[in-house]
Amino acid sequence: MKKILVTGGAGFIGSHLCEQLLELGNYVICLDNFYTGREKNIRPLTKNRYFRIIEHDVTNKIHLDCDEIYNLACPASPVHYQNDPIRTIKTAVFGAVNVLELAKKTGAKVLHASTSEVYGDPQIHPQHENYRGNVNILGPRSCYDEGKRCAETFVINYHRQEKIKVKIVRIFNTYGPKMRADDGRVISNFIVQALKGEELTVYGDGMQTRSFQYVDDLVRGLILMMNSDDSFTGPVNLGNPEEFRIIDLANKILKITGSRSKIVFKPLPEDDPRQRRPDISLAKVVLEWEPEINLDEGLRKTVNYFKKEIVY
Ligand code: NAD
Ligand code: UDP
C-alpha cells in the first residue's frame, strides 16, 4: 500500500483526488490549512481508516513519511489569490520548496500542480508546453503566475541537483462539484447566479475565451502522470481543448438551468487573458490521456451539485 500525501487535499481538486486515491487502495494523507478548502469536502472520507487529515501550512516545514506527494496547496481563484498576494507567492514558492525538501528526505516522488497561468496572456494559440508565456511580472495576477513559474523552476532544479523524482502538470481551467459557491471563478459564479435568479456578471465584452475541463478528467490525468515513467518530468498540459467564449458560456448555463436571469457586463479585470486553449498532444501520446466529459455533460453534473449546495 502506497502512502500518498496530497497538499491542498481539502480543496476543490484535492478532495476529488484524495477520494480517487483511496478508491485505488492507497493510504492518503490530506495536508491543508483550510484557507480556501473546506472540511466538508473531505468529511465523507474520514470514515476510511486509510485516510488522515493534517492541519498544516505548507509555508512551514513538513515532517512525515510518504511515497508520493501531489502538491496542490495554493489558492487558485483570482478572487482568493489576489486577496492576500504576498501569502499567495509564499504558498506557491515556499510551499513547493518544503514539499521538495520532504521528498529529498523521504525519497518520495513529487507531482507539482502548475497552471496554464504560466502562459499569461498568451500570444501563441493554442498553448503548447514549449511556449514560454507572456506574464506581466508586476500585474495583479503575478503573485499567482510568477509564484507558479518560480515553483516550476524549483521543482526542475531539485530534480537536476538533488535527483528528486518530479512531475510538472500545467492545469487548465477546471470545474465541477465541491467548488465553493463563493469560489469566484466563472463557472461557479454563473451557475450560482443563474440558480438564484441573479444577474450573470460577464466581465468585459465576453469575447475572451477559456477551455473548461471537468474535474474527473483532470484527476484521471494527474494519477496517470504520477504513474508515468520516472524519466518523464513534464511539464504536461492537462485541459480540455474545447474552447468557448465567456458570453457563450453564460448563455449555455442559462439554458441548462432554465434560468430567466439577465446578463450584465462588468469591467474586465486587469491582465485578464484574452484566450486560452491547451495543446494536449503531449498528454495524448505519453499518458494516452484525453478528456472524456464535454462541457454540457460536466455543467449538468455541476448544476445538480450547486442545486443542493446553495442557500436560496
Ligand atoms: P482550491 O482553492 O479549492 O484548493 C486549494 C487548497 O489548498 C485549499 O484546500 C486550500 O485550503 C489549500 N491551501 C492554500 N494555501 C495553503 C497553505 N499555505 N498551506 C496548506 N494548504 C493551503 O483550488 P483548486 O482549484 O482545487 O486548485 C488546486 C491546485 O490546482 C492549486 O495548486 C491550483 O493552483 C491548481 N490549479 C487549479 C486550476 C483550476 O482551474 N481549478 C487551474 C490551474 C491550476
Ligand atoms: N469571468 C466573468 N464573470 C465572472 C467571473 C469570471 O466574465 O463572474 C471571466 C473572467 O474575466 C475570465 C474568465 O471568465 O475572462 C475566466 O475567469 P476565472 O476567474 O474563472 O479564471 P481565469 O481568469 O483564472 O482563467
Side-chain angles (χ1 to χ4, degrees), residues 117 141 173 185-186 189 201 203 208 210 246 272 276:
E117 289 285 331
R141 297 174 83 97
N173 297 64
R185 283 175 279 188
V186 68
N189 272 9
T201 52
Y203 302 157
Q208 71 273 33
R210 293 294 186 275
I246 295 303
D272 198 275
R276 181 180 291 152

Side-chain angles (χ1 to χ4, degrees), residues 7-15 31-38 41 56-59 71-77 80 87 90-91 95 112-117 144 148 169-175 178-180 183 185 218:
T7 76
F12 158 51
I13 297 171
S15 54
L31 183 146
D32 206 295
N33 69 348
F34 298 95
Y35 182 49
T36 50
R38 301 179 297 182
N41 285 346
H56 183 86
D57 190 313
V58 286
T59 59
N71 184 34
L72 269 62
C74 190
S77 162
H80 294 292
R87 184 173 183 167
K90 285 183 177 170
T91 296
H112 177 69
S114 189
T115 167
S116 54
E117 289 285 331
Y144 182 72
K148 289 283 185 176
V169 173
R170 292 184 180 153
I171 303 170
F172 283 65
N173 297 64
T174 305
Y175 69 98
K178 293 191 180 174
M179 289 184 94
R180 288 165 48 157
D183 178 277
R185 283 175 279 188
L218 171 66

Side-chain angles (χ1 to χ4, degrees), residues 3-19:
K3 209 173 189 186
I4 304 181
L5 170 65
V6 180
T7 76
F12 158 51
I13 297 171
S15 54
H16 284 274
L17 178 63
C18 287
E19 188 179 341

Side-chain angles (χ1 to χ4, degrees), residues 7 57-62 69 71 73 89-105 110 112 147-148 150-158 162 164 166:
T7 76
D57 190 313
V58 286
T59 59
N60 299 319
K61 286 196 168 70
I62 309 164
I69 308 169
N71 184 34
I89 311 169
K90 285 183 177 170
T91 296
V93 179
F94 300 166
V97 172
N98 286 325
V99 160
L100 291 160
E101 282 294 325
L102 176 65
K104 190 175 149 185
K105 234 183 277 163
V110 176
H112 177 69
K148 289 283 185 176
C150 182
E152 283 198 23
T153 308
F154 265 114
V155 170
I156 206 65
N157 282 293
Y158 266 80
E162 306 289 353
I164 307 290
V166 301

